[in-house]
Amino acid sequence: MTEVTPTMPDDHRELISDLSGIVSDHPYVDPEPTLAALADDAARALARDTGPQDRRERSGYTILLHSTCWYVSARVFSKSVFASYIRALDTVRTQLDPSSCACPAGAHPSDLASEYEVEAGVSMLTEAGRAAFAEDYGLDEEELAAFDCEAFLAGLADEALSSLREAHERLFGGVDVSHLDSRFVRDDGSVDIVGMQAALSRSWEDNTGPVALWCARRWLAGQLRDEERIGVFLCLWMGIAQSYGGLPPSYARDLAAALATIDLDVSCEHPEHPWSAADSTVRSRYRAVVHLYAPDDHPDTPVPAECSARELWECPVQYAQLAREALKDLEKWRTMRGGEDEDWEG
């Protein structure tokens, strides 16, 4: 008899391809619906849990949920996807007994590369896939059986759950930026606009989001002197504009609320305003703001003399122009990161 080479189903090969693109951070399918479907498939399989095939699927889906959870945590802004993942993993965890492990020391698969873990997870779903995977990687029966160990799977589920819950709070919960009070509020209660600009310029410290959020909350609370309003609003605007990867709903909600206080239906007779007259580079904008608030210490400014009057800085049309641009950025974040409207609004 001729030995038949084991092969996995075509749809599983396609699943490996789709998920490998996602975990390598170069997806060529839409990640959000793909991962939502994965979590839903896992939940249905785990609900059965009645026979050997269901146990195989439990192993496969646990591995897949673990291998993709980092992408959900870092790239997906959808509460429903988080809920589906956490629900499936919670179900897995109730079915596993780590104390049942009889594996020799060091037998559990470890330090799994993302794409390898995806291939392992999909392969574990069927006998044919397992056979093909064992042949491709030269695994013996004991090595293959380690992928079904309840202690191994429980460890993956616990790690994924911890990552997802931490990310859920970071993306959708409340963000505490009160520690910035000590950095940006002087002893006399005034706001240090130049200090905020210095923080925004240190992009390697990931300051843009926290500074923007602090400004938004200060603005909404009305904790500003009249002469500070345009400076704080410019810092808010710059924090949004310079958050190139987009900020999550936990930030965007208050940013949107602050922008909503600006009347967009205004007009004036000014031919140009300072922000549109200055060079549109990050460095030029920094120079414009620090010159506005500390001209003696920062005499260099890209704003032409004819546009430098405080009246032009404070013009309602200037605020409206800035708010419209910032609102476009917030809308781009929503489009880029996905999720439902309610995920971003409350």
Side-chain angles (χ1 to χ4, degrees):
M1 293 180 62
T2 303
E3 185 173 343
V4 178
T5 301
T7 59
M8 69 171 60
D10 289 342
D11 61 332
H12 282 194
R13 291 191 179 279
E14 183 178 354
L15 181 59
I16 289 175
S17 178
D18 291 346
L19 295 179
S20 292
I22 290 172
V23 300
S24 64
D25 213 9
H26 293 286
Y28 47 87
V29 295
D30 191 343
E32 187 176 323
T34 301
L35 296 174
L38 172 66
D40 290 343
D41 289 344
R44 284 191 291 271
L46 293 165
R48 294 190 296 268
D49 190 30
T50 57
Q53 175 57 29
D54 299 322
R55 301 291 196 280
R56 287 192 288 271
E57 290 185 338
R58 180 177 68 186
S59 299
Y61 281 119
T62 302
I63 294 168
L64 289 174
L65 293 173
H66 177 269
S67 67
T68 55
C69 76
W70 81 263
Y71 191 94
V72 175
S73 299
R75 301 284 189 266
V76 177
F77 292 3
S78 169
K79 288 182 181 178
S80 64
V81 174
F82 272 84
S84 295
Y85 262 67
I86 290 171
R87 185 165 50 248
L89 286 162
D90 275 336
T91 300
V92 166
R93 199 58 187 86
T94 64
Q95 297 175 359
L96 298 172
D97 177 13
S99 67
S100 67
C101 174
C103 300
H108 292 167
S110 60
D111 299 325
L112 303 179
S114 295
E115 292 182 63
Y116 174 83
E117 191 175 4
V118 163
E119 186 178 356
V122 175
S123 299
M124 295 302 120
L125 296 174
T126 63
E127 278 298 328
R130 286 166 175 256
F133 184 74
E135 183 171 294
D136 288 344
Y137 289 97
L139 304 180
D140 59 29
E141 289 186 10
E142 186 177 88
E143 290 171 319
L144 190 62
F147 284 95
D148 294 312
C149 174
E150 295 195 17
F152 166 66
L153 296 174
L156 296 184
D158 288 342
E159 188 173 89
L161 282 166
S162 176
S163 174
L164 289 162
R165 286 175 172 142
E166 179 182 334
H168 188 280
E169 179 61 24
R170 183 178 70 251
L171 297 178
F172 304 109
V175 180
D176 183 9
V177 290
S178 61
H179 62 283
L180 295 180
D181 291 353
S182 62
R183 292 179 58 184
F184 300 146
V185 182
R186 300 188 182 97
D187 291 342
D188 64 359
S190 63
V191 175
D192 183 4
I193 307 294
V194 173
M196 285 195 289
Q197 282 294 308
L200 285 170
S201 70
R202 296 192 297 272
S203 58
W204 59 90
E205 295 180 2
D206 294 326
N207 282 323
T208 55
V211 171
L213 183 59
W214 188 88
C215 289
R217 290 179 178 168
R218 195 84 178 176
W219 180 273
L220 290 167
Q223 297 174 314
L224 299 171
R225 301 176 183 182
D226 288 345
E227 66 272 15
E228 296 167 347
R229 287 176 58 80
I230 186 59
V232 168
F233 198 78
L234 288 170
C235 290
L236 164 63
W237 186 92
M238 292 172 72
I240 292 172
Q242 292 168 209
S243 295
Y244 306 112
L247 294 170
S250 54
Y251 285 79
R253 289 192 298 266
D254 285 346
L255 300 180
L259 296 172
T261 66
I262 303 301
D263 185 359
L264 303 181
D265 188 20
V266 292
S267 61
C268 70
E269 296 180 355
H270 303 137
E272 198 167 25
H273 296 88
W275 211 240
S276 55
D279 296 336
S280 59
T281 65
V282 171
R283 181 61 184 168
S284 291
R285 287 165 175 162
Y286 167 83
R287 286 162 46 216
V289 178
V290 297
H291 173 79
L292 180 64
Y293 279 90
D296 292 338
D297 295 332
H298 303 277
D300 186 21
T301 175
V303 178
E306 64 272 17
C307 291
S308 62
R310 194 66 181 231
E311 173 192 0
L312 296 175
W313 278 106
E314 299 284 359
C315 177
V317 172
Q318 169 88 96
Y319 281 97
Q321 291 171 345
L322 292 165
R324 286 192 193 95
E325 291 183 28
L327 287 167
K328 288 180 182 177
D329 282 336
L330 264 62
E331 189 58 37
K332 288 177 184 176
W333 298 348
R334 293 173 67 152
T335 301
M336 174 174 59
R337 296 304 187 189
E340 302 298 327
D341 287 346
E342 55 266 28
D343 296 338
W344 289 86
E345 295 169 0

